[in-house]
Amino acid sequence: NANHSLANVFHQFFPSGSQYVLSDTAEVCTKLLCAMLLIAVLWKSKNIKDELHRAGVFGALTVVMFISPAYAYEHHLVLLLPATVIAWNQWFQKRLPSWSILLVCIGTIGIVWPLGWFRCALRSYPEWAWFIKESKLIGVLLIGTLCWWSTFFSAESNEE
């Protein structure tokens, strides 16, 4: 499955009997979670402190917009390059704790690993199929979370 949206994950847990139609439960869960994520991002946008804060909000909002539609395919991942760059920049600017570099790397790898490697991993590790299929969504969520999380910090709060 190449769909990297929240709706797709909820569809897996609450199937409708059709590959192309969400169940009512999956639809409601998707809408509620997306609304909560949007509220969380908007909450952090009400008092923009500086340009790095604005960038963090923008990166998080980009991720919410990516995962909200019913379909988010491989070629759509290019839309997350700005959010990924923002997450890296927030780390370099000390808006994230130093140890979070591990999360930035995992999120980036989750988003950008080549489709050929992705398919090879699916064939080589069938017991990990669900995790491998959702690894790109996990990467997307990590990058969005890091962008949002960076809005809680100033550079001075993370100096070592």
Side-chain angles (χ1 to χ4, degrees):
N1 190 343
N3 187 355
H4 310 299
S5 69
L6 285 179
N8 179 57
V9 172
F10 285 121
H11 181 70
Q12 292 173 47
F13 289 106
F14 308 107
S16 65
S18 169
Q19 180 180 342
Y20 304 105
V21 178
L22 289 177
S23 68
D24 290 343
T25 304
E27 188 175 346
V28 168
C29 289
T30 301
K31 287 179 180 179
L32 283 175
L33 185 55
C34 289
M36 289 188 307
L37 292 172
L38 183 59
I39 289 167
V41 172
L42 292 176
W43 171 68
K44 287 308 289 178
S45 71
K46 67 181 180 167
N47 294 321
I48 300 290
K49 298 173 191 156
D50 56 27
E51 291 307 310
L52 288 174
H53 185 168
R54 183 183 316 278
V57 169
F58 174 79
L61 183 59
T62 301
V63 168
V64 172
M65 291 184 334
F66 177 84
I67 61 176
S68 296
Y71 299 103
Y73 289 113
E74 194 72 23
H75 59 278
H76 297 132
L77 288 168
V78 71
L79 300 173
L80 294 174
L81 288 177
T84 305
V85 170
I86 289 167
W88 278 96
N89 188 56
Q90 299 294 55
W91 184 82
F92 281 116
Q93 298 295 327
K94 300 191 182 323
R95 291 295 175 106
L96 292 168
S98 58
W99 58 265
S100 67
I101 188 64
L102 178 64
L103 300 176
V104 176
C105 288
I106 292 169
T108 302
I109 290 167
I111 291 171
V112 303
W113 69 312
L115 197 52
W117 296 2
F118 181 81
R119 290 181 178 142
C120 181
L122 281 171
R123 285 190 304 272
S124 300
Y125 304 101
E127 64 277 7
W128 288 88
W130 189 87
F131 178 76
I132 293 168
K133 286 179 185 177
E134 300 309 329
S135 62
K136 290 194 178 264
L137 178 61
I138 291 166
V140 168
L141 293 173
L142 261 176
I143 291 297
T145 300
L146 289 164
C147 287
W148 183 73
W149 188 28
S150 73
T151 65
F152 288 88
F153 299 102
S154 64
E156 299 78 36
S157 67
N158 285 315
E159 287 181 359
E160 296 178 20

